[in-house]
Amino acid sequence: MKIEKLILEKHIDYSSSLNFISGQVARDGTLILIESDIEELDFFSRPVAKNNWIIKLIKDGGIETVELKNVPLIPTEVDIFSDGTLLLVQSRCLKEDASIERNARRYNHSGQLIDAFTLGDGIESVQVDETDTIWVSYFDEGIFGNFGWEEPMGSAGVVAYTINGERLWDASDYGIIDCYALNVASSKEVYFYYYDDFFLVQLNERKESIRYRVDSRQHTLQQFVLDEKGLIGQIDGQKLMRFRKTIRSYTPKEKLQVVDEKGKRIIGPVFMRGDYIYAYGKDGIYKRRVSTVKNASLK
């Protein structure tokens, strides 16, 4: 299988002395990074120690820094609501009888806590759409139960919640065993890819509009964007692959290598959402906006 170069342009010079924890592309294209001076994280140790977390919001060549102090969770997911407030979520959530952790917390940019609620255990991904609906996908432990959960909140595999954590919708009709990837471009374009059917489903206003079979049984598709040529997906860790679109399916076509404008390989975390692709290299943040049928002129 041949290797195609995926060129990203340098968005901003950036380096940090802190440890990278996690990251996410917000629906408006903001890249959000979670950083900390903590070197080792234990997601199962209880009670969760209160720690400080640095949130970097990178957009239009600028960087905003938000410091959150004494936070009693380890944030693995982060996103932004329409009013600019931040949602931090911890993927593991302990339930002991009637005691349940509140593993989702909402903060303003001054670091003040606005709300705290529960989104359940075994969270794979969290993304917020323009209506402030919180979309949560779950891996197998969050679907079948672990960590004290006999009736998991994530048993449907994908669940939509209000800004306050109230359940709106779930994907219980799909028989999801593990939701591998989620891409919330808007309330009209919510995509999720799941095992064991290997379907990529598009929802429009929480109703299915189309589904595709994705031939990735030899790989684990972890995140993706759709473009005019098909699908660009991250598989098996940091590897990227292009999938060719047929009538109702996507099949592997070629491997991708992320490079800068000079053809130099970019090594570091990759983030995808909507039509945005970011890469966090050793000397900066790189970006590409892929061409789509409805957005063919944007790069």
Side-chain angles (χ1 to χ4, degrees):
M1 185 177 289
K2 70 175 184 177
I3 298 178
E4 175 188 340
K5 294 187 182 298
L6 182 66
I7 301 173
L8 274 63
E9 297 180 356
K10 195 167 201 179
H11 182 61
I12 192 170
D13 290 327
Y14 184 77
S15 62
S16 176
S17 60
L18 297 172
N19 296 313
F20 168 74
I21 305 300
S22 185
Q24 164 98 293
V25 182
R27 64 176 181 80
D28 67 351
T30 300
L31 177 63
I32 317 168
L33 303 179
I34 306 174
E35 298 180 338
S36 173
D37 58 2
I38 302 173
E39 295 185 358
E40 294 185 8
L41 300 174
D42 186 344
F43 294 97
F44 294 97
S45 177
R46 293 297 184 274
V48 177
K50 293 183 178 181
N51 288 300
N52 300 338
W53 306 94
I54 301 298
I55 311 298
K56 297 291 180 69
L57 305 171
I58 300 171
K59 185 181 181 182
D60 299 331
I63 301 175
E64 180 182 357
T65 300
V66 178
E67 184 175 0
L68 303 178
K69 297 182 178 181
N70 299 316
V71 179
L73 55 75
I74 300 173
T76 56
E77 307 297 323
V78 61
D79 210 337
I80 309 172
F81 290 112
S82 60
D83 64 358
T85 55
L86 298 170
L87 174 66
L88 264 68
V89 178
Q90 178 177 271
S91 65
R92 305 312 307 241
C93 178
L94 178 64
K95 183 178 185 296
E96 291 183 311
D97 299 323
S99 176
I100 304 174
E101 287 183 316
R102 294 188 294 176
N103 63 324
R105 294 170 72 87
R106 181 181 171 201
Y107 291 89
N108 63 23
H109 286 214
S110 298
Q112 296 173 316
L113 178 65
I114 297 174
D115 198 4
F117 47 91
T118 301
L119 292 178
D121 183 49
I123 291 175
E124 179 68 33
S125 183
V126 176
Q127 296 182 13
V128 178
D129 71 22
E130 81 283 359
T131 69
D132 288 330
T133 297
I134 305 168
W135 293 87
V136 183
S137 63
Y138 298 83
F139 55 85
D140 52 357
E141 291 183 33
I143 294 172
F144 295 104
N146 195 5
F147 220 31
W149 290 85
E150 294 182 359
E151 297 181 1
M153 292 179 63
S155 59
V158 179
V159 182
Y161 300 91
T162 68
I163 193 172
N164 306 117
E166 298 177 3
R167 197 181 193 93
L168 287 172
W169 176 91
D170 66 50
S172 55
D173 292 339
Y174 292 88
I176 298 172
I177 293 176
D178 196 327
C179 187
Y180 287 151
L182 177 71
N183 187 335
V184 179
S186 72
S187 60
K188 293 180 173 58
E189 285 187 277
V190 174
Y191 302 90
F192 61 89
Y193 171 69
Y194 68 96
Y195 176 78
D196 66 344
D197 286 334
F198 300 102
F199 278 128
L200 172 64
V201 176
Q202 179 186 347
L203 303 177
N204 183 335
E205 301 289 358
R206 304 199 288 272
K207 296 180 180 180
E208 181 178 327
S209 56
I210 196 168
R211 68 170 68 185
Y212 296 92
R213 177 83 66 178
V214 180
D215 183 7
S216 64
R217 285 167 289 183
Q218 296 179 348
H219 311 282
T220 300
L221 181 63
Q222 298 160 312
Q223 57 176 335
F224 61 89
V225 295
L226 303 176
D227 68 1
E228 57 191 0
K229 296 181 181 179
L231 181 150
I232 297 173
Q234 184 178 32
I235 59 171
D236 305 335
Q238 295 296 319
K239 298 177 183 178
L240 266 65
M241 181 175 287
R242 177 175 292 285
F243 292 77
R244 179 180 58 232
K245 181 180 178 181
T246 58
I247 297 176
R248 283 294 179 94
S249 66
Y250 288 94
T251 58
K253 181 181 180 183
E254 56 207 0
K255 296 179 181 179
L256 296 175
Q257 188 175 90
V258 180
V259 300
D260 63 16
E261 302 98 318
K262 297 180 181 179
K264 183 179 179 181
R265 187 176 179 184
I266 303 170
I267 299 176
V270 173
F271 313 92
M272 302 179 184
R273 183 172 174 186
D275 54 7
Y276 296 94
I277 302 176
Y278 280 91
Y280 182 1
K282 66 178 182 179
D283 61 350
I285 303 293
Y286 295 80
K287 177 183 177 182
R288 180 185 179 99
R289 197 168 181 186
V290 301
S291 298
T292 63
V293 173
K294 65 178 182 179
N295 194 24
S297 65
L298 294 176
K299 296 277 186 167

